[in-house]
Amino acid sequence: GHSTEGKSGAAECEPCAAGQFAGDKGSASCSSCAAGTSTNNKTAATACSACAAGQSTNNQTGAADCSVCGAGSITAEEGMAVCTLCEAGSSTENTAGATSCTLCSPGSHAPNNGSASCEGCAGGSFSDKNGTVTCTLCSKGSFSIANATMCNLCAPGTFSENDGSAECTLCEAGYSTEGVR
């Protein structure tokens, strides 16, 4: 963990800085840790350690320490140089340092890569499966509340004339839905 930093006639050896190591006795210089490894903020290191799963060095060599992956990104195994974004339809459920992405549950979606959390479907739309990227609009004659896993048909005497309705409208006096589909 010490070197003469390339000097001949050195009176002493200097400790390698954090992020650098000297693995052998008699080292004339220190070497930088590879991307995905660090010295865990220690000086005078004889080796670098792999970053834990959920951490990386952001593709940096000579890192003194590993950084936790932000919410929406992961490393599934140790020694990874960069964190990977969760795919659309999944998230890290607002967790930093995650080692896996979780598919959005029915009634929610994640429209973009790198989502920290899944969003509930808005009223008038639904998602009936895991891993939804975009919620589906309810069709005319049906409606849904927020976070819905299905649309409901409008009750007799009510209607929705557009796709994506969050509620049905009462028929005016003198009108009915009888015989209408």
Side-chain angles (χ1 to χ4, degrees), residues 71-91:
S73 65
I74 64 161
T75 58
E77 49 198 58
E78 63 180 32
M80 301 302 291
V82 293
C83 300
T84 305
L85 294 178
C86 292
E87 290 184 14
S90 68
S91 78

Side-chain angles (χ1 to χ4, degrees), residues 47-127:
C48 300
S49 303
C51 294
Q55 300 181 350
S56 81
T57 58
N58 299 315
N59 221 17
Q60 175 187 348
T61 57
D65 204 5
C66 300
S67 302
V68 172
C69 295
S73 65
I74 64 161
T75 58
E77 49 198 58
E78 63 180 32
M80 301 302 291
V82 293
C83 300
T84 305
L85 294 178
C86 292
E87 290 184 14
S90 68
S91 78
T92 58
E93 300 176 309
N94 287 319
T95 302
T99 58
S100 65
C101 299
T102 303
L103 291 176
C104 296
S105 59
S108 68
H109 72 292
N112 305 309
N113 290 341
S115 293
S117 63
C118 297
E119 304 165 21
C121 293
S125 67
F126 75 101
S127 156

Side-chain angles (χ1 to χ4, degrees), residues 142-161:
S142 67
F143 74 101
S144 75
I145 58 171
N147 309 317
T149 58
M150 59 182 269
C151 296
N152 297 304
L153 293 176
C154 292
T158 67
F159 70 99
S160 68
E161 58 187 344

